[in-house]
Amino acid sequence: MRRFASTALRAEGVTVKPKKRVLSGVQPTGSLHLGNYLGSISQWPLMQADYDCSFCVVDLHSLTNMPKNLEVTKELKENTLTAAAIYIAAGVDPEKSNIFVQSHVKQHAELSWLLSCSLPLNWLERMIQYKDKTATAKEGEVGTGLLTYPALMASDILLYGAETVPVGEDQRQHLELTRDIARRFNDLYCKGGAWKKKCKEYGIPSYPVFREPEAQIVKGGARIMSLSNGKSKMSKSDPNPSSCINILDSPDVITSKIKSAKTDDIVGIFEDMSRPEANNLLQIYDITSGGNTADVSGMSWGEFKPVLAESVVEYLKPLQKRYGEIRNEEGYLEGVLKTGKENASVIAEDTVRKVKIGMGFYLD
């Protein structure tokens, strides 16, 4: 069984400075798209040499959009396996990183409840995503999960003592909330003589349970926008299916979506802050072609779109091929996730035990 690197080294008696832990993940709602890949997943393999990495398929988070829950759950199992296979196909090595499914580790939900009971309601109500969605939602469409999911997100991070969390700028507020939650818990339950007495009784270190994680705005991660609106992020929830290029789309589908992508009336393909669609398509071409934007600057949109489509198709081809190999290897993916669950559960249970000690629970 693969263990977290720092844990394994300590168990073998090797004196070495442990790597910082990193945790990240993606929701298995619908197909993962080019924005997911270029913005985050493609960066994960680069972290494996320098960090002790865990990458989680955050399936519990997929249920926060209450009106679409029934639609999501119809394909949740398959989408979960697809996401995990894409992680590996993208270069996340199960021998170097831990890959697991969030709901397989029961401590995620358990810690979320424990933290929620010490979390002021107004901290959750001020979250931007909650305020934005409740402002436009119809009566009865907002579920409790939309309000409380930041506590679950905090639990995902705090369970493993993650010191660094790769996030986009739009997620920074959630990371700051996680830091606030960790600080509040430590202040309430991990100070003074009572805490030291508990630590001595149960034979655990007397330092606070949680560390405050730092945000890592991943350098090189691209913010890919919708093909139908250059001012909005590419999103799985967009009602227009042609707005997203899914990682597993066929060449014909990719070509069709790029052909229908929104453009403008300006002659020439060049970067301009006032041209969001042009900037977005150029960024996609720049990444997928290896930085050859000068070659297309004199083209019309009709000339450029087929070139862009071919570039995206060729860029995704190796990943799609590796994905197919992973899914066709009987038992391989399930074995990776089973090992990942076992690895994660050891550390998660240790964290929850310390939380319960701090909160005064009777432990069996």
Side-chain angles (χ1 to χ4, degrees):
M1 181 195 303
R2 180 198 171 272
R3 292 171 287 177
F4 286 84
S6 55
T7 305
L9 290 170
R10 286 196 300 271
E12 294 163 9
V14 178
T15 302
V16 64
K17 184 178 180 180
K19 296 178 179 178
K20 289 185 177 180
R21 284 184 183 161
V22 167
L23 179 83
S24 194
V26 176
Q27 291 185 30
T29 48
S31 300
L32 299 186
H33 54 68
L34 193 64
N36 297 134
Y37 181 69
L38 297 181
S40 57
I41 297 173
S42 65
Q43 307 299 309
W44 295 350
L46 307 177
M47 301 176 185
Q48 294 179 124
D50 299 320
Y51 297 96
D52 194 356
C53 297
S54 285
F55 300 110
C56 177
V57 182
V58 287
D59 54 343
L60 294 174
H61 285 293
S62 66
L63 302 178
T64 55
N65 189 351
M66 193 173 68
K68 294 188 176 181
N69 277 355
L70 288 178
E71 179 184 336
V72 167
T73 54
K74 288 177 183 177
E75 300 180 341
L76 184 56
K77 177 181 177 180
E78 177 60 26
N79 287 341
T80 297
L81 291 170
T82 296
I86 286 174
Y87 290 6
I88 300 171
V92 176
D93 184 350
E95 295 299 318
K96 298 177 181 177
S97 299
N98 206 47
I99 305 170
F100 65 99
V101 178
Q102 181 189 30
S103 66
H104 290 184
V105 182
K106 64 182 181 180
Q107 291 84 2
H108 284 261
E110 185 177 14
L111 181 58
S112 178
W113 171 256
L114 295 173
L115 294 180
S116 294
C117 291
S118 299
L119 182 56
L121 181 61
N122 68 311
W123 286 16
L124 298 174
E125 291 175 329
R126 73 189 184 201
M127 302 304 290
I128 293 172
Q129 189 171 16
Y130 175 75
K131 290 195 294 185
D132 287 350
K133 290 191 175 182
T134 53
T136 57
K138 298 177 183 178
E139 185 177 355
E141 285 189 344
V142 178
T144 306
L146 180 62
L147 176 68
T148 60
Y149 94 90
L152 178 59
M153 182 177 176
S155 299
D156 300 337
I157 297 166
L158 298 176
L159 269 176
Y160 306 103
E163 297 167 78
T164 303
V165 183
V167 294
E169 282 290 349
D170 56 336
Q171 296 174 306
R172 188 186 287 273
Q173 187 188 31
H174 289 109
L175 200 281
E176 288 302 320
L177 178 64
T178 299
R179 290 170 55 83
D180 291 341
I181 291 172
R183 192 179 308 118
R184 179 178 175 83
F185 183 91
N186 290 340
D187 287 343
L188 287 173
Y189 301 111
C190 304
K191 284 187 174 181
W195 167 243
K196 291 180 180 179
K197 184 178 179 181
K198 292 174 184 177
C199 293
K200 185 176 181 180
E201 178 183 356
Y202 287 97
I204 63 172
S206 60
Y207 49 76
V209 173
F210 297 130
R211 63 182 55 174
E212 297 177 28
E214 297 290 340
Q216 181 183 32
I217 307 300
V218 182
K219 294 180 179 179
R223 184 177 172 85
I224 303 301
M225 313 307 280
S226 165
L227 297 185
S228 59
N229 182 357
K231 296 180 180 179
S232 299
K233 279 181 66 176
M234 188 173 283
S235 171
K236 290 176 283 187
S237 61
D238 195 309
N240 179 2
S242 294
S243 69
C244 280
I245 298 173
N246 297 319
I247 292 173
L248 300 179
D249 277 345
S250 69
D252 287 346
V253 170
I254 291 172
T255 300
S256 176
K257 287 180 176 180
I258 291 177
K259 183 178 179 180
S260 66
K262 182 181 178 182
T263 56
D264 54 36
D265 297 328
I266 300 174
V267 177
I269 313 298
F270 55 87
E271 291 186 47
D272 186 325
M273 292 300 293
S274 66
R275 304 179 67 194
E277 285 77 25
N279 289 344
N280 186 43
L281 296 181
L282 268 174
Q283 178 178 219
I284 293 172
Y285 182 72
D286 182 40
I287 295 172
T288 59
S289 69
N292 298 318
T293 53
D295 299 343
V296 301
S297 59
M299 291 183 178
S300 66
W301 284 116
E303 294 169 326
F304 173 64
K305 284 186 174 182
V307 174
L308 173 60
E310 182 180 0
S311 179
V312 173
V313 167
E314 290 301 313
Y315 182 79
L316 291 177
K317 187 180 292 184
L319 189 153
Q320 293 179 348
K321 180 176 183 292
R322 178 63 181 135
Y323 170 85
E325 294 169 350
I326 292 165
R327 294 305 305 267
N328 289 327
E329 186 174 344
E330 186 175 355
Y332 171 72
L333 184 59
E334 291 78 3
V336 168
L337 295 177
K338 182 176 184 292
T339 299
K341 169 191 172 181
E342 293 168 353
N343 290 333
S345 295
V346 171
I347 293 178
E349 180 56 33
D350 181 64
T351 300
V352 168
R353 179 174 177 270
K354 291 173 182 175
V355 167
K356 288 181 174 179
I357 289 171
M359 297 181 80
F361 280 85
Y362 168 70
L363 303 184
D364 58 10

